Amino acid sequence: NVSRVTEFILLGLSDTRELQVLFFTFFFLAYAMVLLGNLLIIVTVRTDPKLSSPMYFLLCNLSFIDICYTSVTSPRMLADLLSQRKAIAFDDCIAQLFFLHFVGASEMFLLTVMTYDRYTAVCKPLHYTAIMSRQVCWALVLACWAGGLLHSIVQTLLTIRLPFCGPNTIDNYFCDVPPVIRLACKDIYVTEWLMASNSGLVSLVCFLVLVGSYTFILVTVRVRLTEGHWKALSTCASHMMVVTVFFVPCIFIYLRPFSTFPSDKHVCVIYTVLSPVMNPFIYTLRSNEVKASMRRLWKRCRV
């Protein structure tokens, strides 16, 4: 395109030095917990044959996606918090935007698949192993990555086709489609509607499917009050907590063409930092199988 801008300036979360140091400490600890917690889940699931069910296979993939997702924004944010000039090259900005939507959309689709797994386990327990075979699980995971790639390509093409010749200041701590396209020096009416219909509707539709599935599961559990169903319901409650924290801020950010608020960058912290932090704690602390497997892994490492 005819862009003249070679770099963007990220304003970050605050320009106060004391707050930047506080944010650096908090986000560094959060990033470390995401890496260590999710790596521990991956190692635990991969090394324990007792955690071979589809639910733990999907949980292992979710942990891998969370590591990738938070690594797209957190390292750059941590470096900028210690820098005076928070500049990012145009190509690096587009690359960050691409991988953010690639991994983020893949996580949305995977969370939807995990809901289908819980629906099958609760509502069709006798056919669960046949429906959620290992081949089906792999196919669903690959479909999630393919859907995320397609979504990201569309979002990136919507951005790079625009000319950038004016202001280059982004009021955020990472590059994303909404703040970047508003810096274009042309009318973005159509682009904003396309962005909202892509990212916004994907987030909304996935969230509505998740809520509908969990509602159906709740209705089923009310009829069959067995110990196994209450256990599945507990797992669903944890899953729904992660889903709400991840999807609601995404819907708020991406389903609003032609409007922006100063609080947007603080809302972004919820689904780029807090949601990946929650996953290891929620899934490990509420799963006796995972906690028991981690204890066995710790004993083997000490021997």
Side-chain angles (χ1 to χ4, degrees), residues 45-201:
V45 173
R46 297 291 296 175
T47 56
D48 194 338
K50 294 183 178 181
L51 301 179
S52 59
S53 67
M55 181 180 71
Y56 294 113
F57 172 80
L58 297 175
L59 174 60
C60 185
N61 281 275
L62 178 65
S63 296
F64 176 72
I65 287 182
D66 275 334
I67 292 174
C68 297
Y69 184 61
T70 193
S71 295
V72 174
T73 58
S74 291
R76 180 85 201 191
M77 175 178 60
L78 292 172
D80 286 343
L81 286 171
L82 300 179
S83 304
Q84 293 295 329
R85 188 171 183 270
K86 304 170 177 58
I88 183 171
F90 181 87
D91 291 341
D92 294 341
C93 181
I94 298 300
Q96 187 181 57
L97 182 152
F98 171 82
F99 286 108
L100 178 75
H101 283 269
F102 176 30
V103 184
S106 300
E107 178 161 355
M108 287 185 182
F109 297 138
L110 182 61
L111 288 170
T112 308
V113 168
M114 292 177 72
T115 306
Y116 174 72
D117 171 73
R118 292 299 84 207
Y119 162 79
T120 306
V122 174
C123 301
K124 300 182 179 180
L126 298 179
H127 303 283
Y128 176 66
T129 55
I131 295 175
M132 296 298 296
S133 64
R134 185 50 63 98
Q135 293 79 9
V136 171
C137 289
W138 272 111
L140 291 173
V141 170
L142 292 176
C144 291
W145 284 103
L149 179 61
L150 179 62
H151 163 81
S152 182
I153 290 175
V154 173
Q155 293 294 88
T156 306
L157 290 177
L158 288 175
T159 305
I160 62 175
R161 60 183 289 273
L162 297 172
F164 297 91
C165 52
N168 66 336
T169 302
I170 298 176
D171 189 16
N172 211 324
Y173 58 91
F174 65 96
C175 289
D176 199 3
V177 175
V180 170
I181 64 175
R182 292 189 178 104
L183 299 178
C185 48
K186 68 171 290 187
D187 180 40
I188 59 170
Y189 179 86
V190 176
T191 303
E192 287 209 285
W193 272 115
L194 291 174
M195 180 272 294
S197 63
N198 190 348
S199 292
L201 283 183

Side-chain angles (χ1 to χ4, degrees), residues 10-24:
L10 301 171
L11 296 183
L13 295 172
S14 173
D15 56 359
T16 305
R17 189 59 186 170
E18 291 76 12
L19 282 178
Q20 288 180 351
V21 174
L22 180 63
F23 286 148
F24 177 85

